[in-house]
């Protein structure tokens, strides 16, 4: 799981902007990146708000990097 912080939520487009640490499974070793991700399940966006700390898993998909799992962090 990757630690992140919610910066923006776009429910209409099914996207979320997260500031996050390295994502090892995608060979992204940079720390402190901010990226826009698609979400596999738009319902995920209803469970978080801007400023929340989250933990997530992401995978490369044909539509771009997609969050497959997300939960509130501590």
């Amino acid at each position: 799981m990757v630690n992140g912080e919610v910066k923006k939520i776009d429910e209409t487009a099914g996207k979320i902007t997260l500031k996050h640490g390295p994502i090892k499974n995608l060979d992204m070793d940079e720390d402190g990146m901010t990226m826009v991700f698609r979400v596999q399940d738009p319902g995920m966006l209803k469970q978080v708000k801007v400023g929340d700390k989250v933990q997530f898993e992401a995978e490369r998909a044909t539509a771009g990097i997609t969050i497959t799992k997300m939960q509130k962090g501590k």
Side-chain angles (χ1 to χ4, degrees):
M1 298 287 275
V2 180
N3 292 315
E5 181 182 345
V6 179
K7 292 295 184 183
K8 183 179 171 190
I9 297 171
D10 185 342
E11 281 192 49
T12 311
K15 295 182 180 178
I16 188 167
T17 304
L18 296 173
K19 181 177 180 186
H20 62 83
I23 306 175
K24 300 290 187 204
N25 66 313
L26 300 178
D27 295 322
M28 294 180 173
D29 295 327
E30 300 87 8
D31 199 11
M33 285 182 68
T34 301
M35 284 178 55
V36 177
F37 296 91
R38 295 180 183 280
V39 289
Q40 192 173 51
D41 173 9
M44 291 179 190
L45 300 178
K46 296 187 184 313
Q47 299 167 15
V48 295
K49 63 185 185 314
V50 172
D52 279 354
K53 302 273 191 238
V54 295
Q55 292 183 313
F56 67 96
E57 290 179 5
E59 296 176 4
R60 290 191 198 279
T62 50
I65 297 175
T66 302
I67 292 182
T68 54
K69 191 172 166 184
M70 184 168 58
Q71 65 192 39
K72 279 194 179 183
K74 296 176 177 72

